[in-house]
């Protein structure tokens, strides 16, 4: 239970950090460099990372010997949800498609790095 609180607080702090960076970029360089839906993308990844992180921790608690299929399955869920999200936004006719895709995958990679870091730090105590 302690990990769930720590994981949730870390992802909330990370989301505020990413949102703050986006806000600063909009103020410093203008709205041209950051897509107007960047906040929606950050919110999407906050929810997706929170759900997939908690799901993977729950499944790893149930079965530690199936850790590789669990983590690969969670990664596949994340990838498919991300592609679906991009498809919906592009299908709706979002303006400035290039910057939307660039911002989307930049935020995707940031949250992917957060997820990898969270699981690596969680595996260190178990390896000893």
């Amino acid at each position: 239970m302690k990990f769930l609180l720590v994981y949730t607080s870390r992802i909330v702090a990370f989301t505020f950090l990413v949102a703050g960076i986006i806000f600063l970029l909009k103020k410093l360089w203008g709205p041209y460099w950051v897509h107007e839906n960047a906040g929606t993308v950050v919110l999407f990844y906050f929810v997706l990372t929170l759900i997939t992180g908690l799901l993977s921790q729950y499944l790893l608690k149930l079965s530690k010997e199936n850790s590789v299929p669990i983590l690969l399955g969670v990664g596949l869920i994340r990838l498919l949800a991300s592609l679906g999200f991009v498809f919906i936004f592009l299908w709706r006719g979002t303006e400035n498609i290039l910057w939307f895709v660039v911002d989307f995958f930049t935020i995707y990679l940031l949250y992917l790095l957060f997820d990898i870091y969270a699981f690596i730090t969680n595996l260190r105590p178990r390896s000893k």
Side-chain angles (χ1 to χ4, degrees):
M1 186 59 123
K2 180 182 175 188
F3 175 76
L4 299 178
L5 294 174
V6 171
Y7 183 77
T8 305
S9 64
R10 284 183 182 172
I11 194 165
V12 167
F14 183 74
T15 300
F16 279 127
L17 177 71
V18 171
I21 291 171
I22 290 172
F23 178 76
L24 286 175
L25 288 176
K26 278 186 178 182
K27 290 295 180 190
L28 293 176
W29 290 338
Y32 178 74
W33 293 95
V34 179
H35 197 271
E36 63 265 7
N37 291 326
T40 307
V41 174
V42 170
L43 181 64
F44 168 74
Y45 273 114
F46 168 71
V47 171
L48 182 65
T49 305
L50 183 65
I51 289 172
T52 56
L54 296 178
L55 175 68
S56 64
Q57 287 305 311
Y58 174 72
L59 292 175
L60 286 172
K61 194 175 192 180
L62 290 178
S63 174
K64 292 183 191 227
E65 59 270 355
N66 291 330
S67 63
V68 173
I70 289 170
L71 294 177
L72 288 176
V74 167
L76 184 63
I77 290 170
R78 171 190 293 267
L79 179 66
L80 292 177
S82 299
L83 290 175
F85 186 81
V86 167
F87 176 74
I88 289 171
F89 265 80
L90 295 180
W91 188 51
R92 277 186 3 179
T94 301
E95 295 181 17
N96 203 356
I97 294 172
L98 177 65
W99 280 114
F100 174 75
V101 172
V102 168
D103 291 347
F104 181 85
F105 282 108
T106 302
I107 295 169
Y108 173 80
L109 291 174
L110 287 173
Y111 274 92
L112 185 64
L113 288 172
F114 172 81
D115 209 24
I116 291 170
Y117 178 76
F119 285 116
I120 287 175
T121 57
N122 189 30
L123 290 176
R124 274 190 211 142
R126 293 183 186 171
S127 66
K128 291 182 180 179

